[in-house]
């Protein structure tokens, strides 16, 4: 059930004149990207951190603007993977920032 709604929320609808929306799958993650994001996800999980995802997000949002900038994201990721280079951090940020807004919202 959860995977259905996640799949639905990952869809990008592009309306053309008289055409049905098309499904655009989320970008494919390289193995190292998946491993890194899985590690961060596990470390920040409620079972491990004792905090809900909203509470975790609020704590990581150091300027309290209700979005996570690339700086805030980089701080979080390098806590668990300090050896990552800036181009790796940028790649991860772009994967998570599905809206391409330049900041990650709680819905992303």
């Amino acid at each position: 059930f959860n995977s259905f709604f996640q799949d639905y929320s990952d869809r990008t609808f592009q309306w053309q004149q008289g055409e049905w929306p098309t499904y655009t799958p989320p970008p494919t993650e390289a193995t190292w990207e998946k491993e890194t994001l899985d590690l961060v996800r596990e470390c920040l999980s409620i079972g491990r951190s004792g905090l809900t995802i909203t509470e975790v997000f609020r704590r990581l949002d150091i300027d309290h603007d209700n979005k996570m900038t690339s700086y805030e994201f980089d701080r979080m990721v390098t806590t668990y993977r300090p050896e990552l280079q800036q181009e790796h951090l940028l790649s991860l940020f772009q994967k998570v920032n599905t809206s391409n807004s330049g900041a990650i919202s709680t819905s992303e």
Side-chain angles (χ1 to χ4, degrees):
F1 194 71
N2 187 33
S3 65
F4 167 78
F5 283 105
Q6 183 61 45
D7 181 54
Y8 180 78
S9 68
D10 287 342
R11 297 174 189 224
T12 302
F13 295 106
Q14 299 172 351
W15 289 98
Q16 302 295 325
Q17 292 180 0
E19 292 182 25
W20 285 94
T22 57
Y23 172 67
T24 305
T28 305
E29 297 169 352
T31 302
W32 71 267
E33 291 172 322
K34 181 176 178 356
E35 290 171 355
T36 301
L37 293 173
D38 286 348
L39 171 65
V40 172
R41 187 178 299 114
E42 173 61 27
C43 290
L44 298 178
S45 70
I46 194 167
R48 200 143 165 210
S49 71
L51 302 171
T52 67
I53 189 66
T54 304
E55 292 169 318
V56 168
F57 191 90
R58 192 175 306 125
R59 289 184 182 205
L60 295 171
D61 178 22
I62 57 176
D63 61 1
H64 307 292
D65 62 355
N66 295 320
K67 41 189 172 171
M68 189 180 300
T69 63
S70 60
Y71 173 75
E72 293 163 333
F73 180 82
D74 293 353
R75 286 183 68 223
M76 173 188 66
V77 173
T78 56
T79 298
Y80 304 102
R81 294 288 307 271
E83 75 282 2
L84 291 179
Q85 301 297 315
Q86 188 58 44
E87 61 267 16
H88 296 120
L89 294 169
L90 178 60
S91 177
L92 288 171
F93 183 79
Q94 290 170 341
K95 292 283 195 282
V96 175
N97 182 222
T98 57
S99 68
N100 295 316
S101 65
I104 300 168
S105 66
T106 54
S107 64
E108 292 175 299

